[in-house]
Amino acid sequence: MTEEQPVIRMTTATQTFKGHEDNIVAVAVFPDRRRMVTGSGDKTLCLWDLEDGVVLKKMEGHRDKVRALAISRDGQWIASGDLGGELIAWNRDGKSLTEPIKVHSNRIRSLDFSPDSTLLASGSWDKTTELWNTKTWQVQGNPINCGNRVYCVRYSPSGEHLAIATENIQIWNPSTRECIAKFEGHYAFNGAYNISLMWTPDAKQLVSAGDKDDPTIRIWDSSTWNQIGEPCKGHTRHIDMIALNPTGTLLASASDDSQVRIWRLSDHQTIAIVKHTDNVFCVTFSADGKHILSGGKDKMISKWAVPLPEDVPEDQASYDVLREDAPKEQVADNVQQSDSEILAIDATARNACITGDLSTADRLLTKDINANSNDYNSYANRSFVMAKKADWDRALDDALKSISIHPSLIGCISKGIALCGKRQFQNAMKAFDLGFLFVDTNIKKTHLLLLIKAIALFNANEHEEAILRVQDLATTCPNVDTLACQIVKAYLHVQLGLNVLNSVHGVRHNEAVDHFTSAVNTIHFSSMLAIHSKYDIFAVLFGWDLKSLWRAAHQNWCHALLRTGRLPEAIKAYRYMMDRADEATKARSLDWSTGKST
């Protein structure tokens, strides 16, 4: 796809990290957001302080040029591989745990830890992929024979699949060592090799980058392995590495053409171009997604700010994306950027909160607190986890601890939510009101804080008050993120409808119909994935699933009409839903209507 819109061009980094004596070929950041590791042709790795830009430790031990590195998802391990095929395991502080281990007979080109950090995959030019046990640092089972040089290995978010880039793209079950899918990928275009891979957070798409014969980025549907849309075009030479931001909405690519490009995944459009002085070999996003870090032949890592929504030139000025006649492209463009900048939480803990894995989120945040007793962000974030568990005493304790260390917006929000849970509404409102001291005159943050305040009241069963607050906010500030108000209003009406529908008082089913009708009339666009990404703060704080909101509203609308005996209206509602659903939603709705799913 050509660049139809103007893009931001950046030539001056916000920070540089200098310490290597040769090309930098690999970079990875810790989930704690404080440190980074780089690998170089000078046979060393460097452990960096991201804030101060200083080398915390020069990690020596390789006997050949370092070519690959990875950090485990829990931040406990570092693994590195070199051109001689040797691997070294390190602890989080850069202390080697092993001598160089020779298993591969050629260079190690790629490393990736499994999501649970128990396994490490290593891909090599000896045409094999090995799986390593991170407790023993011994290879586990027989090697996976890939048939050609391996350029990249990537575990899926669940760990159930392992994608391998070589002459073709292979999808393996790492447990059974069975190849479950294989397709040409970039090789179908001028015989190009597949160089780099990334899964989207929901695992529904696999993103790939090609070499000099097809210097494009292509996106593949993981249910069919067919290509989605047009490729991302703009690079003119070999693409060495790609990376996704934590929400899966933005993509960064590093190329031998001396550029790093930042793309919107929703429309495959370049939004920014970063210009280096020479070949760029590696790129990654910071753990909070606000920066990219890239390096290559210039022997240093450069840090660049990811453009904010207001910085990105767009043809469409309207954010009223819920109109029924709004083109899908406009909806995707307008909701691609997350409004969750209020939260400061590492990507792994954030994803655990979003998926409902509260025990993992609790464990990760507790580990951060144990590592730094003054980490006020982690106390506030753990308070949110406790609130989702309805452990209101611990939620309040963590919130108060956060504020005692350092008063902040996130601390005030956590205190307000905890006090609402304890039904201390007057004190809760005071806590939320104090939060306005920290919004820095940012009208979007103010708007979002008011919505969070309303949702906290709703969750404490103050339903009528919460709905009125959302309606008043939409009326008072009609030009500030109408989408957020309507999403919240729709979600609250769906919850009220479900409460009534599941109550023992069947005579109230007409009331449920009214709530679902209100939700249906509020949201008209059936594809909610981009909206879920934009407003994932509601998933982190309250466990909301916005991806299925449109479908939940319509299906329960039909169900409630049936429960009240209004069959003709139920049929009309079902037809209305099927006529307006996208293909994926239509398939799920069809399964629901035939009893194949709930």
Side-chain angles (χ1 to χ4, degrees):
M1 181 174 289
T2 58
E3 291 169 24
E4 298 174 352
Q5 298 178 6
V7 298
I8 295 170
R9 297 180 182 271
M10 295 182 279
T11 57
T12 304
T14 60
Q15 189 177 6
T16 56
F17 301 80
K18 298 178 181 179
H20 282 294
E21 298 174 1
D22 203 337
N23 301 342
I24 297 179
V25 295
V27 59
V29 294
F30 279 86
D32 64 10
R33 296 178 290 127
R34 301 185 185 98
R35 297 175 302 147
M36 165 182 72
V37 178
T38 53
S40 169
D42 63 13
K43 304 181 184 179
T44 71
L45 289 84
C46 283
L47 179 64
W48 303 83
D49 183 305
L50 275 172
E51 184 174 345
D52 297 334
V54 299
V55 177
L56 300 173
K57 186 176 181 62
K58 180 83 90 171
M59 300 160 60
E60 298 177 326
H62 279 284
R63 292 176 283 212
D64 209 332
K65 295 182 177 184
V66 176
R67 191 59 188 87
L69 71 84
I71 296 174
S72 61
R73 311 297 170 90
D74 61 7
Q76 296 303 303
W77 319 114
I78 305 166
S80 55
D82 62 32
L83 295 188
E86 292 184 332
L87 179 138
I88 300 179
W90 319 75
N91 69 10
R92 65 193 308 271
D93 297 317
K95 181 180 179 180
S96 61
L97 302 174
T98 67
E99 293 295 318
I101 306 171
K102 179 80 170 182
V103 171
H104 290 289
S105 60
N106 205 327
R107 70 179 59 183
I108 295 175
R109 188 60 172 75
S110 181
L111 297 166
D112 194 38
F113 282 93
S114 61
D116 62 5
S117 302
T118 61
L119 293 172
L120 171 76
S122 60
S124 169
W125 274 20
D126 66 7
K127 305 180 183 181
T128 69
T129 295
E130 297 277 9
L131 302 183
W132 304 72
N133 185 313
T134 58
K135 289 184 178 179
T136 63
W137 295 109
Q138 300 293 315
V139 291
Q140 185 168 297
N142 296 321
I144 296 173
N145 294 311
C146 304
N148 216 312
R149 290 177 174 179
V150 176
Y151 285 88
C152 189
V153 290
R154 289 289 180 266
Y155 276 98
S156 64
S158 67
E160 295 177 9
H161 298 130
L162 180 68
I164 300 176
T166 176
E167 182 181 76
N168 50 30
I169 297 176
Q170 304 171 14
I171 311 298
W172 290 76
N173 180 326
S175 299
T176 63
R177 310 297 173 100
E178 176 189 6
C179 183
I180 59 176
K182 186 184 294 186
F183 58 101
E184 287 188 310
H186 293 266
Y187 194 75
F189 305 90
N190 305 317
Y193 268 67
N194 301 280
I195 301 300
S196 188
L197 300 171
M198 284 296 295
W199 295 87
T200 55
D202 60 9
K204 292 182 178 179
Q205 298 175 12
L206 181 69
V207 186
S208 66
D211 68 11
K212 61 182 176 60
D213 293 318
D214 184 38
T216 67
I217 296 166
R218 299 179 184 272
I219 295 92
W220 312 92
D221 184 331
S222 63
S223 64
T224 62
W225 300 116
N226 292 327
Q227 184 172 317
I228 300 173
E230 293 296 315
C232 302
K233 293 183 177 180
H235 284 299
T236 57
R237 297 180 64 187
H238 181 104
I239 300 174
D240 291 273
M241 187 177 291
I242 55 175
L244 279 171
N245 70 340
T247 58
T249 55
L250 297 178
L251 174 74
S253 55
S255 170
D256 287 354
D257 63 11
S258 305
Q259 290 183 355
V260 173
R261 286 181 172 245
I262 303 176
W263 315 76
R264 270 196 305 263
L265 203 63
S266 61
D267 63 359
H268 308 182
Q269 191 76 29
T270 300
I271 64 169
I273 297 174
V274 171
K275 184 65 176 174
H276 277 253
T277 58
D278 214 325
N279 299 31
V280 193
F281 298 138
C282 57
V283 65
T284 191
F285 279 88
S286 60
D288 60 9
K290 294 181 180 180
H291 296 89
I292 59 169
L293 298 137
S294 55
K297 270 194 175 181
D298 55 10
K299 304 177 187 178
M300 65 182 180
I301 290 291
S302 298
K303 181 179 179 181
W304 313 84
V306 173
L308 296 171
E310 55 266 30
D311 298 329
V312 179
E314 291 195 88
D315 291 337
Q316 305 95 339
S318 171
Y319 273 70
D320 186 14
V321 300
L322 293 183
R323 296 195 325 272
E324 191 168 354
D325 60 347
K328 292 184 179 181
E329 292 80 4
Q330 180 179 333
V331 175
D333 287 348
N334 286 342
V335 301
Q336 61 87 24
Q337 181 68 34
S338 172
D339 269 339
S340 57
E341 61 187 44
I342 284 176
L343 297 178
I345 180 172
D346 76 74
T348 307
R350 184 190 204 95
N351 289 338
C353 289
I354 290 172
T355 59
D357 187 358
L358 300 184
S359 60
T360 296
D362 186 1
R363 176 175 55 81
L364 292 172
L365 293 167
T366 300
K367 184 183 296 183
D368 287 343
I369 290 168
N370 291 338
N372 178 9
S373 60
N374 291 319
D375 188 348
Y376 66 93
N377 282 319
S378 290
Y379 274 109
N381 289 324
R382 193 172 69 175
S383 173
F384 298 139
V385 174
M386 294 303 108
K388 289 168 76 172
K389 290 181 175 181
D391 189 343
W392 300 113
D393 289 335
R394 286 188 64 193
L396 183 57
D397 287 344
D398 278 345
L400 294 175
K401 181 65 175 178
S402 173
I403 292 172
S404 70
I405 296 169
H406 181 72
S408 65
L409 175 57
I410 190 174
C412 292
I413 292 174
S414 64
K415 182 180 178 182
I417 290 174
L419 287 170
C420 275
K422 293 174 72 68
R423 302 193 64 76
Q424 297 178 23
F425 298 121
Q426 187 173 358
N427 290 333
M429 295 304 102
K430 289 180 180 178
F432 283 122
D433 290 343
L434 285 173
F436 291 110
L437 296 174
F438 303 97
V439 298
D440 304 321
T441 67
N442 184 319
I443 191 65
K444 290 184 179 179
K445 283 186 180 181
T446 301
H447 193 261
L448 199 55
L449 179 56
L450 288 168
L451 287 175
I452 291 169
K453 189 175 178 180
I455 296 167
L457 282 170
F458 182 90
N459 289 346
N461 294 322
E462 297 294 313
H463 299 155
E464 185 175 347
E465 173 69 15
I467 293 287
L468 286 173
R469 283 174 179 262
V470 175
Q471 291 174 341
D472 288 346
L473 181 58
T475 303
T476 307
C477 307
N479 297 320
V480 181
D481 205 352
T482 305
L483 175 57
C485 276
Q486 298 197 35
I487 290 296
V488 171
K489 178 183 175 183
Y491 201 97
L492 297 187
H493 274 295
V494 168
Q495 294 306 306
L496 286 173
L498 289 172
N499 290 345
V500 174
L501 202 59
N502 295 327
S503 70
V504 295
H505 306 293
V507 294
R508 296 180 61 202
H509 288 159
N510 279 315
E511 183 183 338
V513 170
D514 292 340
H515 285 302
F516 294 128
T517 302
S518 179
V520 166
N521 290 337
T522 302
I523 49 172
H524 300 287
F525 192 76
S526 61
S527 181
M528 300 290 292
L529 182 58
I531 290 173
H532 181 80
S533 296
K534 177 181 173 79
Y535 297 111
D536 67 353
I537 188 171
F538 297 135
V540 175
L541 296 185
F542 306 113
W544 284 15
D545 176 15
L546 296 181
K547 295 191 296 294
S548 61
L549 176 59
W550 189 93
R551 182 163 50 91
H554 284 75
Q555 288 179 359
N556 284 292
W557 185 36
C558 297
H559 184 53
L561 286 166
L562 283 174
R563 293 278 290 271
T564 58
R566 295 154 66 176
L567 180 59
E569 290 178 74
I571 294 172
K572 184 178 179 181
Y574 179 75
R575 289 174 177 167
Y576 180 89
M577 172 178 66
M578 297 301 282
D579 287 345
R580 286 157 179 78
D582 60 22
E583 292 304 314
T585 305
K586 189 176 296 185
R588 293 189 183 95
S589 298
L590 186 61
D591 287 343
W592 166 78
S593 67
T594 56
K596 293 181 180 179
S597 68
T598 56

